[in-house]
Amino acid sequence: MAAITKALLGQDLSPELRDECSAHLDTLMALGQSKTQYYAEKINTDLLGAGLGTNRTFPISSIQSFIYQTKAFTSDNAKNITDVVNNSVSDFVAGDNKSAVATIVSGFVNILFGSTEGSESEVRRYCAILEGASMVRLDFAGWSRTVTSTSLKSKCDKVSSFVLYRSIVDMSKVTLNDFIQVYQVTVKAENKDIDTAGMLKKCQDLYYVFNPKSTPLNHVSDLSLDLDSHEQFQPSVGHNSLDVFNSKITSL
């Protein structure tokens, strides 16, 4: 962490001011790291209870992996944060889904940094994408805090944390209405000019592929999935265990 703060501060400050700014940045980065760990643990716990009790989000069959980022940056390069997040996500999804996920995640990031209320912002969202014959759930958590110190303003405007989880959805436990409510975001990201009727049909057709016994007798599907043509996609593994956050902890 010390290397990060030194790189941010450079050599254009007096030794006293540089030491003070370095201490502030170290504190902010430590806060960002703790937020990242909190979100990783929170999402992990929520996923294990998804679809149960008051947690009515998509139930899952397994958690595959997660990735995370903690960043400090200035307003001049804030526009690049979306690219940083998208690059981290690129190995998490396959093929044609990358552009849709990039659009969705960019929207989450824009919500986070577009907020003008207070000095601290938080975003928690999840979406679903189709990869081959699997419905994948992506959980996103983001946090940012604005730097208020005048001495640090030119060096670092915000500190941010991002966490993204990848899980396999248990479609046998998802209702049609719940599926439409969540998956419509992905359909719209993949089809910019689609109307409501078209979006609804795409969601219904895909849902009935996973749940054929629920298909109405009068339902006619335009969706044909050649599932045998899809290669088995192996996502990059970010971290399967939360122990990654404890690897650098020193006990006194």
Side-chain angles (χ1 to χ4, degrees):
M1 191 177 299
I4 295 175
T5 55
K6 288 179 180 178
L8 282 171
L9 294 175
Q11 302 298 322
D12 57 339
L13 297 176
S14 67
E16 294 80 8
L17 189 55
R18 186 160 58 247
D19 288 343
E20 180 183 352
C21 289
S22 179
H24 284 309
L25 275 178
D26 280 342
T27 301
L28 286 170
M29 289 300 293
L31 176 60
Q33 291 282 6
S34 66
K35 284 288 187 179
T36 302
Q37 180 177 4
Y38 165 75
Y39 287 128
E41 294 176 349
K42 173 64 174 172
I43 294 176
N44 187 83
T45 301
D46 289 347
L47 284 172
L48 295 177
L52 303 175
T54 58
N55 183 350
R56 305 311 301 169
T57 60
F58 278 10
I60 64 167
S61 58
S62 65
I63 297 174
Q64 289 196 313
S65 55
F66 72 92
I67 55 177
Y68 65 92
Q69 294 274 353
T70 303
K71 296 289 184 181
F73 57 95
T74 67
S75 56
D76 291 336
N77 62 18
K79 62 181 180 298
N80 297 324
I81 291 297
T82 299
D83 293 334
V84 171
V85 176
N86 286 339
N87 288 337
S88 298
V89 172
S90 62
D91 292 333
F92 239 45
V93 294
D96 297 336
N97 293 308
K98 288 187 178 182
S99 59
V101 174
T103 299
I104 295 170
V105 173
S106 297
F108 296 161
V109 175
N110 291 336
I111 291 173
L112 183 66
F113 293 108
S115 174
T116 58
E117 297 295 328
S119 61
E120 192 167 337
S121 302
E122 180 183 55
V123 171
R124 280 284 310 274
R125 298 287 192 276
Y126 84 97
C127 62
I129 61 171
L130 178 68
E131 284 187 349
S134 298
M135 184 59 61
V136 174
R137 168 174 170 165
L138 299 176
D139 283 77
F140 174 87
W143 168 88
S144 72
R145 184 175 181 86
T146 302
V147 175
T148 56
S149 170
T150 303
S151 300
L152 286 176
K153 277 289 187 179
S154 62
K155 304 297 179 182
C156 171
D157 285 339
K158 284 180 180 288
V159 174
S160 62
S161 295
F162 305 95
V163 177
L164 185 74
Y165 265 80
R166 175 191 172 88
S167 310
I168 302 300
V169 178
D170 185 349
M171 284 295 294
S172 66
K173 299 178 181 178
V174 178
T175 67
L176 175 59
N177 284 341
D178 287 345
F179 182 72
I180 293 173
Q181 195 276 328
V182 174
Y183 195 69
Q184 64 177 313
V185 176
T186 304
V187 173
K188 291 176 182 177
E190 293 174 337
N191 305 271
K192 303 296 183 183
D193 300 323
I194 195 169
D195 58 14
T196 301
M199 178 274 296
L200 184 62
K201 183 164 181 56
K202 281 184 176 293
C203 290
Q204 288 177 327
D205 288 348
L206 184 55
Y207 178 82
Y208 292 136
V209 169
F210 285 100
N211 294 281
K213 293 182 179 180
S214 302
T215 307
L217 295 177
N218 61 347
H219 179 77
V220 178
S221 176
D222 295 331
L223 182 66
S224 59
L225 294 181
D226 185 6
L227 299 181
D228 293 332
S229 68
H230 291 274
E231 295 182 3
Q232 184 65 30
F233 175 65
Q234 297 295 330
S236 64
V237 176
H239 299 279
N240 285 320
S241 171
L242 297 176
D243 291 343
V244 64
F245 292 107
N246 301 320
S247 59
K248 296 182 181 180
I249 291 180
T250 302
S251 298
L252 300 179

